Amino acid sequence: MIQTFPKGGVHPAEDKFAAGSPIKTLKVPEAVVIPLSQHIGAPAEPLVKKGDTVKTGQLIAQSKGFVSANIHSSVTGTVKKIDSEPDSSGYKRTAVVIDAVDDDWADGIDTDKTLKKNITAGADEIVRRTLDAGIVGLGGATFPSHIKLSLPKGKKADILIINGVECEPCLTSDHRLMLERGDELMVGIQLLMKALNVTRAFIGIENNKPDAIAHLSKLSADYEGIKVRPLKIKYPQGAEKQLIKALINREVPSGGLPVDVGTVVHNVGTAVAVYEAVQKNKPLIERVVTVTGRDMKEPSNFLVRIGTPVRTLIDAAGGLPDNTGKVVNGGPMMGKALNSLEVPVTKGTSGILLIPADKAARKPVVNCMRCAKCITVCPMGLEPHLLMPATEFGKWELAEEERILDCMECGSCSYICPSGRPLLDYIRLGKSTVSKIIRSRKQ
């Protein structure tokens, strides 16, 4: 029987229009905007100034604080300015703007595509190189990866989980990565296993990607301890807690971390990035991005330099359809609408989704009919119909008691609500306020 998580979840239309599109490498852009905050935690501190010449892969901003990540130049050129520039959130944040003139890579980076299978780095060195390379979770969470590899004192993991689920509709970047860079992925998983000192790793892949399941199953036969596990199709199976439950039937407690139940989860893209960092000394300066939509001429998967404008990707995929009503950063369930096509691709950009105008408008909002569908689909066992009014009317104690912070913002409740109520929007606002209250209580 094919496994999945038992509580809640939905199955939206998959619409994987770009699934058959091999990864194409976009040419180096004429200029890049590289935000200094592409991760959870403190922004990196710039090491360059206006007028400096930089090479591709050169460190241009140093991580600042524990939950932070290094930033590297994705092009060779001249620093035009360091200024506040809008990112995908719509807010302006400090970024390094570089005019590209060439693609001369920094010394010591191995750009040869030959697979380097033999692992010589020890556990500490793998963690250090992951930190140096500025690697963050490429599934979209952008949590600095070296922290996940540095287990808290007294904690121990016995299983590594690799997230190849890609349950978000429309996105196909992970799918193509598994098909086209499976060997690098396998070595990356070995590196992660060595860093964590575990002997078992499971790659979870949903059953709508049989070619990836077959390909990685064949490859994994040559790698001790690595197994592929097909999973039933259900959203949000790519969430850490749901993936852990589906694969190894362990339940992360409220407020807890995967390592509390002896496991660590990394995305397939992250594993490939770790391979490049450790075996090739290559920092994270590019990633695979899906550009798709029902009316796109050429739904595509691109290997893109960090800092490339979103408009460049859309142009490369055939241009913006006339009927476009909304452009989303990410997938349709968890993505957020962009207010400009000039914002840059960052480490957390997994996809760009173009939604036609007739599908972009929200449904009219009417009163809650107490149908309980939002409760049924919530994978965390929450009651979204209570959390929305708790936020709306400032009932913060109630929101905290009802575990609003356990919401992972998957959007299943808003998706299923027949009354068109903006449940997730209010819950996000409530989470922010309750978090501030809890922090102030501790001070």
Side-chain angles (χ1 to χ4, degrees):
M1 183 176 176
I2 301 175
Q3 298 164 285
T4 187
F5 60 96
K7 189 186 297 180
V10 293
H11 186 187
E14 296 173 18
D15 292 340
K16 304 277 190 182
F17 304 118
S21 174
I23 299 168
K24 291 175 278 190
T25 302
L26 273 191
K27 66 178 184 179
V28 178
E30 294 179 356
V32 290
V33 176
I34 305 179
L36 299 185
S37 183
Q38 301 183 50
H39 48 265
I40 293 175
E45 197 165 75
L47 299 174
V48 294
K49 60 183 185 303
K50 180 181 176 180
D52 282 356
T53 299
V54 295
K55 288 187 175 183
T56 305
Q58 179 180 328
L59 182 67
I60 59 171
Q62 185 87 47
S63 65
K64 186 181 180 184
F66 179 62
V67 187
S68 185
N70 288 336
I71 305 286
H72 301 76
S73 178
S74 59
V75 297
T76 298
T78 304
V79 177
K80 181 179 180 182
K81 60 180 178 179
I82 300 174
D83 204 351
S84 294
E85 298 286 336
D87 66 8
S88 62
S89 70
Y91 291 101
K92 287 189 173 182
R93 304 186 197 281
T94 305
V96 179
V97 182
I98 303 171
D99 287 332
V101 295
D102 203 346
D103 196 28
D104 183 19
W105 288 65
D107 295 341
I109 299 175
D110 181 0
T111 57
D112 192 299
K113 299 299 181 187
T114 304
L115 179 70
K116 194 171 179 181
K117 200 169 178 180
N118 185 36
I119 296 173
T120 56
D124 291 343
E125 187 176 356
I126 293 168
V127 177
R128 181 183 59 76
R129 290 196 182 191
T130 302
L131 166 64
D132 291 346
I135 297 174
V136 299
L138 295 186
T142 66
F143 190 84
S145 301
H146 67 277
I147 298 176
K148 280 190 174 183
L149 296 178
S150 308
L151 301 186
K153 193 174 181 180
K155 301 288 185 182
K156 180 168 174 54
D158 64 329
I159 298 176
L160 168 68
I161 289 179
I162 298 299
N163 187 352
V165 167
E166 199 158 53
C167 62
E168 175 83 74
C170 303
L171 302 185
T172 55
S173 54
D174 285 350
H175 185 181
R176 293 308 314 183
L177 200 70
M178 288 187 284
L179 286 176
E180 298 178 42
R181 301 185 66 178
D183 284 307
E184 292 153 278
L185 171 60
M186 288 295 163
V187 179
I189 294 171
Q190 283 191 309
L191 290 164
L192 293 169
M193 292 169 70
K194 189 169 185 178
L196 292 166
N197 192 27
V198 303
T199 56
R200 292 187 294 167
F202 294 140
I203 309 171
I205 308 174
E206 286 195 336
N207 224 17
N208 57 354
K209 294 175 270 292
D211 48 0
I213 293 170
H215 180 57
L216 295 188
S217 295
K218 184 178 179 182
L219 288 181
S220 64
D222 292 333
Y223 294 86
E224 188 175 352
I226 302 176
K227 300 291 182 186
V228 175
R229 289 281 185 265
L231 293 167
K232 186 178 176 181
I233 304 165
K234 191 161 67 165
Y235 176 88
Q237 198 147 228
E240 280 189 340
K241 292 180 179 179
Q242 280 61 45
L243 185 56
I244 292 167
K245 183 68 177 175
L247 281 172
I248 58 176
N249 196 28
R250 296 179 187 175
E251 194 156 327
V252 180
S254 175
L257 297 170
V259 73
D260 292 330
V261 294
T263 186
V264 172
V265 181
H266 284 282
N267 175 265
V268 289
T270 310
V272 172
V274 169
Y275 162 81
E276 292 183 327
V278 179
Q279 302 292 81
K280 300 284 184 174
N281 197 35
K282 179 186 169 188
L284 183 57
I285 63 159
E286 57 189 0
R287 66 156 298 149
V288 181
V289 180
T290 301
V291 184
T292 187
R294 188 187 67 188
D295 297 316
M296 290 292 296
K297 284 184 181 176
E298 301 173 30
S300 304
N301 299 289
F302 295 120
L303 182 64
V304 187
R305 297 290 173 92
I306 301 299
T308 303
V310 166
R311 183 184 294 280
T312 303
L313 279 67
I314 294 175
D315 288 345
L320 193 72
D322 293 337
N323 65 346
T324 301
K326 188 182 289 184
V327 179
V328 172
N329 178 42
M333 296 299 288
M334 296 190 75
K336 295 177 181 175
L338 294 173
N339 63 7
S340 168
L341 300 185
E342 306 309 321
V343 299
V345 168
T346 63
K347 295 176 183 178
T349 307
S350 55
I352 301 296
L353 172 64
L354 278 65
I355 301 177
D358 64 334
K359 300 290 185 186
R362 292 195 178 198
K363 293 185 291 186
V365 179
V366 299
N367 290 336
C368 174
M369 63 179 75
R370 295 292 192 267
C371 68
K373 286 187 176 180
C374 63
I375 302 172
T376 304
V377 300
C378 180
M380 296 304 295
L382 305 177
E383 297 191 50
H385 75 105
L386 288 179
L387 295 175
M388 177 178 166
T391 300
E392 196 173 8
F393 300 109
K395 305 288 187 184
W396 307 124
E397 286 186 11
L398 175 64
E400 186 178 352
E401 288 172 6
E402 295 293 332
R403 301 188 292 120
I404 195 170
L405 295 186
D406 278 353
C407 172
M408 70 178 85
E409 305 181 21
C410 70
S412 296
C413 53
S414 293
Y415 172 82
I416 203 72
C417 179
S419 297
R421 296 178 67 73
L423 296 161
L424 177 57
D425 301 76
Y426 275 94
I427 291 172
R428 277 177 173 153
L429 176 62
K431 283 181 66 179
S432 174
T433 304
V434 170
S435 294
K436 288 178 184 174
I437 292 172
I438 292 173
R439 284 199 297 271
S440 65
R441 199 186 294 152
K442 292 177 180 176
Q443 289 174 350

